[in-house]
Amino acid sequence: MKKLQWLAPIAGIILVACSTVSMTGRKQLNLVSESEILSASLTEYQNYMKTAKISTDANATAVVKTVAERIAAAAEAYLQVTGQEADIQNYAWEFNLTQDAELNAFCMPGGKIVVYQGMLNLIGNGADRDDELAAVIGHEVGHAMAKHGNERASQQLLASMGSSVVGVAVSGQSAQVQQAVATAYGLGAQYGVLLPFSRKQELEADYIGIVLATIAGYDADAAVTLWQKMEANSTSTTPQFMSTHPSSSSRIQQLKKDIPSVKATYGGAAAAAGLTSPSSTTTTPSGTTTTKKSSGTTKSTTTTKKGTGYKIG
């Protein structure tokens, strides 16, 4: 029994630091304070933006900002309705399109959203462009809403703490045994805990993303066509169990299972949240951005503000 006593502090920490992802009900580990996460994330975002090449394509930028504003409004509407108004104050939304050719996008804790041009190139300019972009941005905002940044930081802290405790436990053994345990624990932490959890977080963000897209008035089915494009474009041969992301086929399969219930539950939420039907964004010859609604009328895009109370449309 004495050999297992070192587990007690870790078990106590896990019990105290557990929280729940509201949209899915999954228990998660949060060891880091929200203020620390927000501060660290803002610093990382600011450092990134110092060297990022912001897109000069006014029309593409307007498309990203219009869709992102609607997803942000959907996120705030969800938090408002579910009694999580306090969390809204943690978001100071910013939306950027960069010239990076990679297939990527991210949302830092605090609502700093960046979409890479490569992602827009993959999506293309088809009729489902905005719906697919909503799936991308909804997914990234889903990571922020589910506080995956805090969770991942907490996992790293716990893994580091665990490896230190294991090191103490075998300190009386030979150097060879200590090295063997350190190596085994490293593989166990990486492939047995951290990476599978990351895949779970990715699927959770997929789910939250289609919820937000639906609340924002977009077609959640576009998440499937998006990942079909991603799968067709993928050159990765890394086995899924060693990847931080689930395979595209796994995501597509899960999305197909989730979309019907999401539509049934949240299909009427756009109107309730004050979000009109999405509209396509164009740029006039003078460079003024306008939003063209299905009726043919035009309306200037709104400015996103921190906190509650704004509507798009």
Side-chain angles (χ1 to χ4, degrees):
M1 291 295 293
K2 291 183 178 180
K3 293 181 179 180
L4 299 179
Q5 288 178 350
W6 58 271
L7 288 172
I10 295 179
I13 289 172
I14 293 174
L15 288 174
V16 171
C18 273
S19 61
T20 303
V21 179
S22 67
M23 198 177 289
T24 64
R26 180 178 65 84
K27 298 293 184 182
Q28 64 179 174
L29 180 68
N30 283 330
L31 296 173
V32 187
S33 71
E34 192 71 11
S35 61
E36 287 178 298
I37 286 293
L38 291 171
S39 176
S41 298
L42 180 60
T43 298
E44 288 300 312
Y45 170 75
Q46 291 172 336
N47 289 338
Y48 168 82
M49 292 303 294
K50 288 177 182 177
T51 58
K53 294 182 178 180
I54 302 301
S55 174
T56 57
D57 186 331
N59 190 53
T61 299
V63 168
V64 169
K65 287 189 175 181
T66 297
V67 174
E69 283 173 353
R70 294 185 64 88
I71 294 296
E76 291 197 1
Y78 178 86
L79 292 172
Q80 183 77 40
V81 169
T82 55
Q84 302 173 78
E85 297 93 337
D87 281 354
I88 297 175
Q89 298 306 314
N90 292 329
Y91 294 95
W93 301 99
E94 290 183 21
F95 316 117
N96 297 280
L97 174 65
T98 68
Q99 298 178 31
D100 201 307
E102 291 185 21
L103 299 178
N104 205 1
F106 65 81
C107 177
M108 301 291 285
K112 312 304 185 187
I113 297 172
V114 174
V115 176
Y116 291 11
Q117 182 63 49
M119 183 64 73
L120 280 190
N121 294 342
L122 176 74
I123 290 172
N125 289 312
D128 55 358
R129 178 199 65 189
D130 289 8
D131 296 312
E132 291 185 357
L133 182 57
V136 172
I137 297 175
H139 170 93
E140 299 305 331
V141 173
H143 279 307
M145 287 185 68
K147 302 182 180 180
H148 288 162
N150 191 320
E151 186 175 14
R152 289 179 179 180
S154 299
Q155 290 167 349
Q156 294 287 352
L157 283 174
L158 191 60
S160 175
M161 181 187 301
S163 62
S164 299
V165 173
V166 170
V168 172
V170 299
S171 60
Q173 304 298 325
S174 67
Q176 292 85 346
V177 172
Q178 291 186 46
Q179 182 61 44
V181 171
T183 301
Y185 186 84
L187 289 174
Q190 185 175 7
Y191 297 124
V193 180
L194 298 181
L195 293 183
F197 226 123
S198 293
R199 291 197 296 271
K200 183 178 291 186
Q201 291 168 339
E202 288 296 325
L203 291 175
E204 186 168 61
D206 282 349
Y207 176 80
I208 297 173
I210 59 176
V211 170
L212 294 179
T214 300
I215 294 174
Y218 294 104
D219 185 359
D221 287 320
V224 173
T225 60
L226 168 71
W227 281 104
Q228 288 171 339
K229 290 179 180 179
M230 293 286 281
E231 185 174 39
N233 191 77
S234 175
T235 58
S236 175
T237 57
T238 303
Q240 182 174 344
F241 80 93
M242 292 179 65
S243 171
T244 56
H245 288 59
S247 67
S248 296
S249 57
S250 296
R251 305 180 93 135
I252 291 169
Q253 183 179 15
Q254 188 62 49
L255 284 165
K256 287 181 176 179
K257 290 180 181 179
D258 292 336
I259 286 172
S261 62
V262 167
K263 284 187 171 184
T265 303
Y266 298 97
L275 294 165
T276 60
S277 297
S279 44
S280 59
T281 302
T282 60
T283 303
T284 65
S286 65
T288 303
T289 301
T290 61
T291 303
K292 183 176 291 184
K293 303 181 76 173
S294 58
S295 62
T297 60
T298 59
K299 186 176 183 179
S300 60
T301 54
T302 59
T303 301
T304 306
K305 300 179 181 179
K306 182 176 180 180
T308 61
Y310 72 93
K311 299 179 181 179
I312 299 174

